[in-house]
Amino acid sequence: MLHQLEGSRAIAKAVALCRPNLICAYPITPQTHIVEELGEIVRSGELQNCEYLNVESEMAAISATIGSQAAGVRSYTATSSQGLLHMVEAVYNASGLDLPIVMTIGNRAIGSPINIWNDHSDAMAVRDAGWIMLFAESNQEAVNLHIQAFRIAETVKCPVMVCVDGFILTHAFERVNIPDQKEVDEFLPTYKQHITMDPVTPLAIGAMVPPEYFMEVRYMAHLKQQKSISVIEQVRDKFSDKFGGNSSGLFHKYNAQDVETIVVTMGSVAGTIRDVVDDINCKHGNKFGVLTLISYRPFPQDAIREILKSAKKVFVVEKAFAVGIGGILAQEIKLSLLRTNVPVISIIAGLGGKPITKSMLFDCLLENHQRDTKFLGLNDGLVKKKCSFAGDCCTNN
Amino acid sequence: MDNNCPFATVLSATTSPRNKTGSWRTMCPRYINLMPPCNAVCPTGENVQRWLSFARSGNFRQAWNVIVQNNPFPAIMGRICYHTCEKVCNRSHFDEAVSINILERAVGDMAISHGWKFENVVPATGKKVLVVGSGPSGLAAAYFLRKFGHEVEIKEARALTGGMMRYGVPRFRLPGSIIDAEIRRITDLGVKISCNSRVSDLGSEINKFDAIYVCIGASKAIKPDMEVKSGSSVIDAVDLFKKLTNEQSHSVKFEKNVIVYGGGNTAIDAARMALRLGAEKVNIVYRKTLSSMPAHETEIHEALSEGIKILCLRTIRVIDHREVLIDKMNYDEESGILSKSGEEETLIADSVILAVGQFMDDSVVRNIEGIVVTDGGIIETDEYMMTGAKGIFAGGDATSTKRTATVAIAHGKKGAQYIDAYLNGKEVEQKSKPDVINFKKLNTSYYFSSPRLTLPPISSISMEERTIALTGDEIVTEASRCFSCGNCHHCNNCYVYCPENAIQKLLDGSLKVNHDYCKGCGICAVECPCGAIKMMPEK
Amino acid sequence: MSYSTRKKTSTDNANCVQSRTDRRNTLMSGHRACQGCGEALAARCVLDAAYNATNGNIVVVNATGCLEVFSCVYPENAWNIPWLHSLFANAPSVASGVASAMRVSGKTKIRVIAQGGDGATTDIGMGALSGMFDRNDDVLYVCYDNQAYMNTGVQRSSSTPPLARTATTLPIGSYMGNDAKTGKNLPKIAIAHNIPYVATASIAHLFDLEQKVATAIGIRGSRYIHVHVPCPLGWGIQPSDTIKIARLAVDCGLFPLFEAKDGVVRTSFTISNIVPVEEYLKPQRRFAHLFGKNAAPNVIAHMQKLADENIKEYQLMGENTHG
C-alpha cells in the first residue's frame, strides 16, 4: 500500500512488519525518528509480542540485542555515527557469535569535529566487523532492504546492517509502498534460532578460542560472507516474486554495458549521479554508466570486475575516506580490477553533509584528472590559509 | 554439537572434565586418622571420639558397641570413672570439655534398659582360664578372654561379685542394679562366677587351668599410726562399706559428729555416706593441702556441696572417745616435706572413719613359687603381666598403685590379650599408634560456644542415686560438641569448599579425593575442622 | 534503624546445597582456575544455589574476566548450564536482552543471572549495570569481587582496597599503595537505585551466600549480590588459605555482610568474634608493606577505622537484634 511518509517512519513500519521481539535503541541523530516510531508502534499494541527497551547507551543497545538474539528471539536496533562507534566491539561480537541481528544505520559523519550530517564514515569504520552491510539508495529501497535483511541474516546466521543516508533519506518524505503484514509474514518465516539458551541442553556461547583455532574461525566468517552473495540474490528474487518491482540485490547497474566510463557509488547520491550521467550522455554521446553497490559487505568482487573490466575509466564517488590514503571503496574497486588496465579515479564527496551538486559532478566527471583522488567541492583557499604545510598537495586538480 | 552451531565459539556442556587438572598438583591431600587426646589418655583405650560420632548421629547402639570393644561396663564407668578424657579434651581450650562421662552413663543405661547384649564370641579354643577375683579387672579380663573364645571361671572370695565396684563405692553413686546388669551380660557370655570361693591353693589351680589371672585387689585397710583409746567409736571405711553392702544400709547409723580421716576417694565416699546415715556434721581430716588430695576433684566438689568440711594440714594423734586430738601440719608442696607445726587442737567426733589407704591381702599368692610381692605390697609382673610363676598373670589393684576401676579394667583387657597370646604361643601385636592431635591443629571456625551438659545440682542428700534422664536429643546435642579431633566426621567442608569438585562423597558418607582433578590447593586441609586431612608431597 | 540479624550456626555447612551429592556442579571439574581460586568456588556455589532454587531453570551471562577465561576455552567448556559470554563491559545489558527474550517467548520460569568480576562490575561495566538497575530489568547480577584485575596480572580496579599493592599501585618510597579512600562501594550504589534486592556475601559463609541467592532468585526485577572472593595469586596468600582469609575479612569488619531490600539495609550478618584488621591484612603479601620498616604511621589505624565504621554502620556486633 502506498504512503507518503518520512524515510524513518517508513523504515520503522517495515521493521515492525518483520515482527521483531526486541527493539532496543539509544537516541542519536539522525536515527531518532526510526526508534520513536517503533516505540509508538510497540506501545500502541500494533506490534504484538515485542519488548521495547530504552537503554543507557548504544553499547547497551547492541548488547541487549545480542542477549535477546542469543536467547532466541528476533532483535533489532538502530544507530548512527558516534553511536555506532560506541558499540564497535559489540558489533564485532555480534557477528562473531553468528547472531542474525538487524541494525539500521542512519549514516552520519564521525567527529571530531562533531557533525550531525550525512556521510558514510560511520559504516566504513566497521566494514571489517563481519556484518552484512547493505546500502539503500531510496526510502523504498530502505523498506525493501529491511524486510530482506531479516531473511538474509537468519538464513546466513550473520547480522545485517542496513545503511540509509542520514537526513537525505531518514528525514525525506517520499511516496513509499509498505507491504501488507500477511505478505511479509509469508516472505519472512518465524525465526527459529540455531543456537539456544535452553536449560535442557545447555550450551556455552562465546568461548575463548586459542591460537590453534582462531584463524579457522575467522576464515569461516570470510567463507560465510562469500556464501551470502548468492543468498542475497536468492532473497532478492523471492522478494521480487512476492512484492514485484526492482528489488535491490547486490547492486544496480545503470547503462553500464559497453560504455567507456562507469561511475561506482553507494547510497542516495546514486540518483544524482544517474541524472548527471544522463546529462553527459545526452551531450557527449553514450559514454557513461553507473554501478550502485547495495551490498558493500559481502563485496561482490567477481561481479564487479565483470562489469568494470571493459570500461576505459572508472570513477568511484564515495562519502568516506581513509585518512592518509584516500577513498575506501575506491581501494576495494582497484583491488577488484587488479591485473586489468582500468584506471580508477577516487572522488571523495559530501563529507559531513557537504552538498553534492549536479554541476560539480558534471564538471568533475569530464575533467582531465591529474590525480587519482579528488575531494569534490573542497575549498582550497580555506585549506591553504589554515594549513601551513598544505603546499599544492591539496590542489584539486 | 551439530554443524549448524558456530565452530569453536559455541560449546557443549560437560566437555571440561577431559582436562585432567590433577597434573598440576605438587601436594596431595590425604585423609588421615590421628589420635584424639581423650582416646590417648583413656587407660582402657576407649575410642571416645568414635562412639561419640555414632551418638551424634543418633546411632546409640553402635556407640555402645564401640564402647564395649574396650570397656564392658559403660553404665558403671559412666558413673565412677574419673574421666581423664575430659581433662584433656581439646574442646576445653575452646569452651568446656565434652561431658563424655555423662554420655557414657546415658548410653550404658540405654543398653541396660534395652537389654543390649554383647556380640557373639568366636569359636571355643578349648583353653581354660581361672580368674581370681571378680572386681573390675577380673570381670574385664573374663570378658575379653571369653571373646577370644577361652573358657573362663571366676572365683570370688566374697559373697557378691564386683570387687571394689560393689564394696568400695557407695550405692548412691553406683546402684547395685547397675552392677548386676553389667555383670550379668558377662555371665551371659558363658563366664562362670563362683562367689564365696576363696582360692586357698593357687599352686594346685594352675594344674587345672591353662592360665590364671590374679586380680585380688587391695581390700585391707591400712591402720594409721595413732592412739585409739578403747571405747572410742572408730571404723575402717573398708569395713563400713562391706557392712553396708552385705547387711543393707539401715543397720548402720551415725551420731551427730563424724570425722573421716584420709584424703582419697574412699574418704570422700565415706564422708558422704556418713551424712546419709545420720551424721549432721562431717569433717574430713587430711594431712596435706586441699590441692594435693588424691581424691578426684569432682568428688571433692560434690562433698563440699553437701556441706562436708575438709580440714587440711592435720593429722590425728589420739582418739579418746569423743575427743580427737589433732596435730597441725606444715606441708611444702614442692619438696613434699610434711612436718608438724607444733600447734594442736581438739575436735569432737561421735565416730571416726578411717580411710587412709588399702593394701593387698597377699595370702592367696603367698608361698607360690616364683610370685614375688614387692616391698610396696604389690605383685611383681613382667612386661606381659605374667608373674614369676609360669601361666599365672596378675593385674588390678594388686599390681598397681593407681587404684581406679578404669585402670583395673585396662589391666583386665591387657591381661586378657597377654594371656591369649601366651595360650596361643604368640606375641601380642603391638599396634603403632598415630600421633595425638592437639588443639592448634584444629580449625575451630566451624564450632560454636555451647555449654556442656552437666549433672543437675545436688538437691537432697539421699541414699538414692541422682537420676538423669537424658533424651536422645540431649545426648545427640552433647555428643555433637565433640570436635572429632583428628578424625573425619563427615562435616563435608572438604566437599563443599573444593574449587575443583575433586572431593567425592561416597554412598556411606565417606569422602575421597579425585586425583584426576585435585590441583592440590590445600583448602580442604585448612578448612577441615578435625585436622583429619594432611597435604603430602606428590610423588 | 536497627537491622535484623543473621549469624553463622553449626549446621550451616551441613544444610547447604553445596554439601549435597546431587548438587549440580554448574562449574565442572577441568576448569583452568588457579589453585585455591575463590571465584571458581563462589561461582559454583552461587549458580548451584540458583539452580537448586529454580529446579534448573537458569541461564547465565558472563562478563569477560578470569571467570570466563578459565571456564570456557575451546574445546572445553566447564559450564553445566546455558552460558553466554559477550564482552567485558556489557554483561548487564546482554542479560537485560536475555531477560526480555525469555519474557516475550513466555519462558518466564527461566531466570537470568549475569556475573562478572569487580573490574567488569565496578569499572568498565558499571554504566551498563546502572542502566540495568534503572530499568529494574529482571536479572540477578552477581559480582565476584577479588579486588583487582587479576586476569591481566593484578592491576588496580576501583574495588581495590586502600593501601593495597597491585601491579599498578606498587608501594615505592613514600607511596603506600592504592590511595583510594575506601574503594568504590558498589553495593551502596546498587542500593541507591532502589532495586528490590542487594546483598553482600562471602565464600567463607556459604549457607548465608546460598540463602541470599535463593532469596534473590525468587524476586522479580534487578537484584545484586556482591561476593567477596580472595585471589591467592593476586593477594599473595597461600592457595590453601582462601576461605580463611575470606573469613577474616568478615570477622574484622572490612567486608560487612548485609542484605538490603527496596533501597534499605534490613539484615546484617553479625560477627561472633571481631578480630583486629591486622589479622586479616598481615597474611596477605599485598599488604606486607604496611607492616614493613618503611610503613607510614597510622596506615593500620586507617584500615581499622574503616572496619570500625562498618561495624557501627551495619551493626555487626549484633546489638539491637530486634527486626
Side-chain angles (χ1 to χ4, degrees):
Chain A
M1 211 182 140
L2 291 171
H3 299 264
Q4 190 64 237
L5 274 178
E6 189 197 41
S8 294
R9 310 278 166 191
I11 290 165
K13 286 191 186 305
V15 168
L17 287 172
C18 297
R19 298 187 187 277
N21 298 111
L22 181 85
I23 295 166
C24 182
Y26 180 78
I28 182 167
T29 304
Q31 148 264 37
T32 41
H33 290 181
I34 302 172
V35 292
E36 285 169 13
E37 177 72 13
L38 279 166
E40 196 180 327
I41 292 171
V42 172
R43 308 287 186 223
S44 69
E46 198 183 316
L47 174 57
Q48 291 286 314
N49 208 26
C50 176
E51 293 223 346
Y52 187 91
L53 208 56
N54 282 305
V55 291
E56 75 285 353
S57 72
E58 285 88 359
M59 182 60 172
I62 181 77
S63 299
T65 56
I66 287 172
S68 56
Q69 193 78 51
V73 303
R74 191 173 282 158
S75 307
Y76 169 83
T77 185
T79 191
S80 292
S81 178
Q82 313 295 141
L84 180 59
L85 264 62
H86 188 54
M87 59 168 76
V88 166
E89 68 161 337
V91 170
Y92 275 76
N93 187 252
S95 59
L97 295 177
D98 294 15
L99 299 174
I101 296 162
V102 172
M103 172 160 69
T104 307
I105 307 298
N107 294 108
R108 170 185 145 183
I110 295 290
S112 179
I114 188 167
N115 170 294
I116 62 166
W117 292 274
N118 168 245
D119 71 26
H120 290 169
S121 308
D122 50 5
M124 287 300 140
V126 296
R127 66 184 182 272
D128 301 327
W131 285 52
I132 291 171
M133 299 170 73
L134 308 176
F135 281 78
E137 184 191 323
S138 66
N139 285 349
Q140 184 63 60
E141 186 161 73
V143 166
N144 296 356
L145 281 179
H146 275 91
I147 296 168
Q148 293 178 58
F150 282 100
R151 179 143 178 189
I152 295 164
E154 289 163 17
T155 306
V156 190
K157 300 173 185 87
C158 182
V160 176
M161 214 177 274
V162 182
C163 298
V164 291
D165 285 327
F167 295 110
I168 300 168
L169 295 180
T170 57
H171 288 59
F173 280 72
E174 278 187 338
R175 195 179 70 171
V176 182
N177 183 21
I178 305 288
D180 290 344
Q181 181 69 60
K182 187 168 165 288
E183 287 173 317
V184 176
D185 287 345
E186 285 162 5
F187 173 75
L188 183 65
T190 310
Y191 174 52
K192 265 183 81 183
Q193 70 192 116
H194 56 295
I195 48 176
T196 59
M197 291 188 80
D198 174 16
V200 178
T201 45
L203 294 178
I205 304 168
M208 176 183 245
V209 177
E212 300 95 297
Y213 311 101
F214 186 82
M215 200 154 161
E216 285 71 12
V217 174
R218 297 302 288 166
Y219 181 69
M220 283 185 234
H222 180 59
L223 288 179
K224 189 158 79 176
Q225 283 263 329
Q226 292 182 329
K227 180 190 153 205
S228 63
I229 290 174
S230 60
V231 173
I232 290 168
E233 287 182 313
Q234 287 156 16
V235 171
R236 185 267 321 271
D237 293 346
K238 294 216 165 71
F239 189 87
S240 294
D241 292 348
K242 188 95 209 157
F243 304 99
N246 178 7
S247 298
S248 312
L250 297 166
F251 42 72
H252 295 299
K253 284 189 291 184
Y254 181 75
N255 196 38
Q257 216 82 37
D258 307 322
V259 287
E260 285 179 14
T261 309
I262 298 175
V263 186
V264 182
T265 195
M266 296 195 301
S268 61
V269 76
T272 313
I273 292 171
R274 274 201 302 271
D275 284 355
V276 172
V277 163
D278 283 349
D279 289 352
I280 292 170
N281 288 348
C282 191
K283 220 168 179 177
H284 301 281
N286 193 24
K287 287 182 174 170
F288 277 66
V290 184
L291 175 65
T292 309
L293 272 186
I294 298 164
S295 174
Y296 175 62
R297 289 288 183 272
F299 193 73
Q301 206 170 32
D302 294 344
I304 288 169
R305 184 171 34 238
E306 278 309 305
I307 296 162
L308 301 183
K309 71 178 184 195
S310 51
K312 299 230 161 43
K313 191 195 273 182
V314 168
F315 284 101
V316 178
V317 180
E318 60 182 308
K319 290 182 173 180
F321 84 114
V323 178
I325 293 186
I328 299 164
L329 179 60
Q331 289 171 43
E332 295 178 2
I333 296 293
K334 277 180 195 165
L335 196 65
S336 308
L337 290 171
L338 216 59
R339 288 188 290 277
T340 68
N341 291 320
V342 185
V344 176
I345 313 285
S346 171
I347 299 171
I348 316 296
L351 296 184
K354 190 180 264 299
I356 304 171
T357 64
K358 279 175 69 178
S359 65
M360 285 159 72
L361 273 171
F362 188 94
D363 294 345
C364 179
L365 295 177
L366 292 174
E367 243 169 56
N368 187 15
H369 290 273
Q370 303 295 310
R371 295 172 185 277
D372 288 345
T373 302
K374 181 180 167 70
F375 288 78
L376 192 69
L378 187 75
N379 184 339
D380 279 12
L382 182 63
V383 173
K384 281 180 177 158
K385 197 169 146 194
K386 290 292 173 189
C387 182
S388 59
F389 52 84
D392 58 40
C393 69
C394 71
T395 307
N396 240 327
N397 292 297
Chain B
M1 178 85 6
D2 62 78
N3 284 332
N4 209 21
C5 272
F7 168 67
T9 58
V10 175
L11 301 176
S12 300
T14 75
T15 42
S16 68
R18 72 174 81 134
N19 183 27
K20 301 275 163 64
T21 53
S23 62
W24 302 16
R25 191 173 57 237
T26 57
M27 298 290 280
C28 184
R30 188 185 294 167
Y31 291 94
I32 52 170
N33 294 95
L34 293 177
M35 176 69 87
C38 49
N39 184 342
V41 300
C42 179
T44 70
E46 237 182 60
N47 197 339
V48 179
Q49 170 274 327
R50 189 164 156 76
W51 68 257
L52 285 177
S53 80
F54 284 116
R56 83 192 291 160
S57 62
N59 190 346
F60 303 125
R61 174 70 202 247
Q62 196 56 34
W64 184 80
N65 285 346
V66 173
I67 297 174
V68 301
Q69 280 168 8
N70 296 293
N71 164 25
F73 307 115
I76 296 173
M77 299 315 289
R79 288 169 168 81
I80 65 167
C81 177
Y82 294 122
H83 45 80
T84 43
C85 49
E86 292 186 21
K87 260 217 169 86
V88 297
C89 176
N90 277 331
R91 181 142 194 155
S92 62
H93 300 286
F94 182 78
D95 51 11
E96 298 174 294
V98 178
S99 287
I100 301 167
N101 193 234
I102 297 178
L103 291 177
E104 185 172 26
R105 170 173 166 182
V107 172
D109 287 355
M110 204 179 277
I112 293 172
S113 63
H114 286 80
W116 295 341
K117 298 276 180 205
F118 294 136
E119 280 159 17
N120 287 340
V121 295
V122 299
T125 59
K127 308 274 187 195
K128 281 172 72 180
V129 181
L130 172 68
V131 173
V132 185
S134 72
S137 196
L139 289 166
Y143 164 76
F144 287 105
L145 286 165
R146 191 74 200 101
K147 294 202 99 180
F148 288 130
H150 307 307
E151 201 179 306
V152 185
E153 189 177 337
I154 301 179
K155 292 198 173 174
E156 170 56 55
R158 302 204 206 203
L160 295 171
T161 53
M164 292 313 286
M165 298 191 295
R166 181 89 67 183
Y167 290 94
V169 183
R171 290 293 78 82
F172 62 86
R173 279 182 58 208
L174 177 56
S177 60
I178 300 291
I179 305 173
D180 293 341
E182 295 214 312
I183 293 178
R184 192 172 315 118
R185 269 197 306 252
I186 292 176
T187 53
D188 286 351
L189 278 178
V191 171
K192 193 178 148 203
I193 307 182
S194 326
C195 287
N196 296 315
S197 338
R198 177 175 292 272
V199 173
S200 51
D201 187 2
L202 197 60
S204 70
E205 299 285 2
I206 193 63
N207 300 325
K208 299 182 218 155
F209 293 91
D210 298 295
I212 298 177
Y213 181 59
V214 179
C215 45
I216 50 183
S219 57
K220 290 217 151 171
I222 293 172
K223 299 287 177 206
D225 179 20
M226 62 169 71
E227 186 185 346
V228 180
K229 296 272 167 73
S230 81
S232 308
S233 170
V234 176
I235 183 171
D236 281 320
V238 172
D239 295 335
L240 172 68
F241 287 131
K242 186 174 173 185
K243 207 165 173 189
L244 287 169
T245 304
N246 288 345
E247 298 166 27
Q248 302 309 314
S249 56
H250 49 78
S251 65
V252 187
K253 286 276 181 285
F254 284 103
E255 297 298 318
K256 199 175 169 193
N257 287 310
V258 172
I259 283 178
V260 177
Y261 191 37
N265 290 315
T266 308
I268 302 285
D269 282 338
R272 296 178 70 188
M273 191 49 110
L275 212 54
R276 283 161 174 77
L277 296 172
E280 285 168 27
K281 235 177 98 187
V282 179
N283 286 320
I284 293 174
V285 170
Y286 177 54
R287 59 196 174 125
K288 296 183 192 167
T289 54
L290 190 64
S291 58
S292 52
M293 266 179 104
H296 196 268
E297 206 178 312
T298 54
E299 299 295 318
I300 295 171
H301 176 76
E302 297 218 324
L304 292 173
S305 73
E306 290 184 350
I308 292 163
K309 287 207 169 56
I310 299 176
L311 307 172
C312 291
L313 295 170
R314 286 169 171 85
T315 54
I316 297 176
R317 196 195 308 165
V318 183
I319 302 171
D320 184 0
H321 296 87
R322 293 186 69 234
E323 286 185 2
V324 179
L325 181 62
I326 302 279
D327 282 317
K328 291 203 174 178
M329 308 300 285
N330 286 330
Y331 179 60
D332 184 76
E333 285 195 25
E334 263 177 42
S335 64
I337 295 170
L338 187 69
S339 57
K340 284 187 183 170
S341 73
E343 258 185 89
E344 49 178 63
E345 68 181 352
T346 303
L347 299 175
I348 300 300
D350 298 304
S351 301
V352 176
I353 304 172
L354 303 177
V356 295
Q358 286 157 238
F359 66 98
M360 178 183 67
D361 174 4
D362 64 357
S363 57
V364 176
V365 293
R366 211 178 295 148
N367 304 326
I368 304 294
E369 203 186 320
I371 297 188
V372 178
V373 176
T374 66
D375 294 344
I378 59 171
I379 302 171
E380 210 172 70
T381 57
D382 65 11
E383 58 188 306
Y384 303 111
M385 294 176 70
M386 191 151 83
T387 65
K390 195 166 182 290
I392 301 180
F393 294 75
D397 287 0
T399 61
S400 166
T401 49
K402 277 189 214 151
R403 289 173 176 163
T404 71
T406 319
V407 170
I409 292 168
H411 281 190
K413 174 183 154 190
K414 268 203 204 96
Q417 287 165 351
Y418 291 135
I419 291 168
D420 179 62
Y422 166 78
L423 294 177
N424 290 314
K426 296 187 304 200
E427 294 241 327
V428 169
E429 220 178 300
Q430 296 293 340
K431 281 185 202 147
S432 66
K433 285 187 178 167
D435 294 341
V436 176
I437 179 163
N438 63 31
F439 180 69
K440 282 188 188 141
K441 295 249 174 76
L442 305 175
N443 182 345
T444 54
S445 311
Y446 299 93
Y447 299 120
F448 300 83
S449 199
S450 65
R452 75 196 298 248
L453 184 68
T454 51
L455 285 174
I458 297 167
S459 54
S460 65
I461 295 166
S462 154
M463 283 304 278
E464 297 303 316
E465 184 187 32
R466 231 182 321 161
T467 51
I468 43 159
L470 297 184
T471 63
D473 283 350
E474 285 170 316
I475 298 173
V476 167
T477 303
E478 183 62 20
S480 304
R481 293 181 69 245
C482 173
F483 281 173
S484 190
C485 307
N487 292 277
C488 171
H489 69 71
H490 308 160
C491 73
N492 294 328
N493 272 6
C494 50
Y495 177 73
V496 162
Y497 286 127
C498 176
E500 314 304 328
N501 318 343
I503 303 292
Q504 294 172 310
K505 223 162 131 176
L506 305 180
L507 284 176
D508 64 353
S510 62
L511 298 140
K512 192 177 155 230
V513 179
N514 183 342
H515 293 105
D516 281 351
Y517 302 110
C518 170
K519 291 174 186 165
C521 70
I523 288 179
C524 51
V526 170
E527 295 311 314
C528 176
C530 314
I533 300 178
K534 193 175 177 191
M535 298 304 291
M536 311 286 243
E538 185 62 57
K539 278 168 217 130
Chain C
M1 80 165 270
S2 62
Y3 309 148
S4 64
T5 56
R6 209 183 258 209
K7 59 181 183 190
K8 70 175 175 176
T9 71
S10 55
T11 52
D12 279 359
N13 274 5
N15 290 340
C16 70
V17 172
Q18 280 309 303
S19 72
R20 288 160 49 166
T21 44
D22 64 350
R23 75 179 189 209
R24 175 68 170 179
N25 284 337
T26 45
L27 182 64
M28 301 191 77
S29 302
H31 64 73
R32 294 149 190 263
C34 305
Q35 292 164 321
C37 176
E39 189 177 32
L41 173 62
R44 186 189 77 216
C45 296
V46 165
L47 298 183
D48 279 4
Y51 189 92
N52 182 63
T54 59
N55 289 319
N57 285 301
I58 54 168
V59 295
V60 176
V61 175
N62 210 126
T64 308
C66 279
L67 183 59
E68 163 265 326
V69 167
F70 71 61
S71 63
C72 192
V73 180
Y74 180 83
E76 285 147 10
N77 162 32
W79 297 103
N80 204 6
I81 31 104
W83 181 87
L84 171 62
H85 161 241
S86 174
L87 296 165
F88 200 6
N90 71 353
S93 317
V94 173
S96 293
V98 174
S100 285
M102 292 306 168
R103 220 164 20 236
V104 294
S105 10
K107 299 174 187 167
T108 47
K109 71 173 182 181
I110 296 177
R111 313 294 281 129
V112 183
I113 297 169
Q115 58 183 5
D118 51 298
T121 308
T122 71
D123 280 346
I124 196 167
M126 193 181 134
L129 185 61
S130 175
M132 186 193 103
F133 288 163
D134 165 52
R135 296 184 298 271
N136 197 25
D137 285 336
D138 191 16
V139 175
L140 165 60
Y141 189 98
V142 183
C143 169
Y144 305 107
D145 181 9
N146 56 20
Q147 304 186 329
Y149 289 92
M150 300 315 183
N151 194 30
T152 44
V154 200
Q155 296 83 10
R156 178 200 181 273
S157 82
S158 58
S159 189
T160 299
L163 304 170
R165 166 209 170 112
T166 67
T168 51
T169 58
L170 289 178
I172 296 171
S174 62
Y175 179 67
M176 275 287 112
N178 187 27
D179 48 11
K181 278 181 71 185
T182 57
K184 199 188 278 182
N185 190 328
L186 209 76
K188 274 192 171 168
I189 294 169
I191 291 170
H193 285 78
N194 279 321
I195 55 172
Y197 188 83
V198 175
T200 58
S202 165
I203 45 164
H205 299 288
L206 285 184
F207 186 68
D208 176 64
L209 167 65
E210 289 183 356
Q211 292 292 299
K212 285 168 175 167
V213 171
T215 304
I217 206 82
I219 298 171
R220 295 275 167 184
S222 280
R223 294 136 288 150
Y224 179 73
I225 299 180
H226 192 100
V227 190
H228 188 246
V229 291
C231 167
L233 188 76
W235 296 13
I237 57 170
Q238 289 301 313
S240 56
D241 289 344
T242 299
I243 304 295
K244 188 170 125 188
I245 292 295
R247 187 164 50 234
L248 286 168
V250 174
D251 286 351
C252 74
L254 280 175
F255 194 84
L257 302 183
F258 57 85
E259 254 178 332
K261 287 179 182 163
D262 301 319
V264 182
V265 177
R266 309 269 184 194
T267 313
S268 62
F269 188 93
T270 57
I271 311 169
S272 39
N273 293 309
I274 292 174
V275 301
V277 291
E278 285 98 319
E279 281 196 38
Y280 167 61
L281 302 174
K282 216 166 182 177
Q284 303 182 45
R285 255 200 328 274
R286 64 174 175 160
F287 292 116
H289 57 285
L290 305 187
F291 299 93
K293 280 204 301 282
N294 301 324
N298 301 327
V299 284
I300 305 295
H302 173 67
M303 298 300 279
Q304 187 61 55
K305 189 163 157 275
L306 297 177
D308 291 345
E309 283 165 4
N310 282 339
I311 290 166
K312 200 166 156 226
E313 178 174 357
Y314 297 103
Q315 299 168 16
L316 303 178
M317 305 269 270
E319 312 124 325
N320 306 323
T321 49
H322 54 90

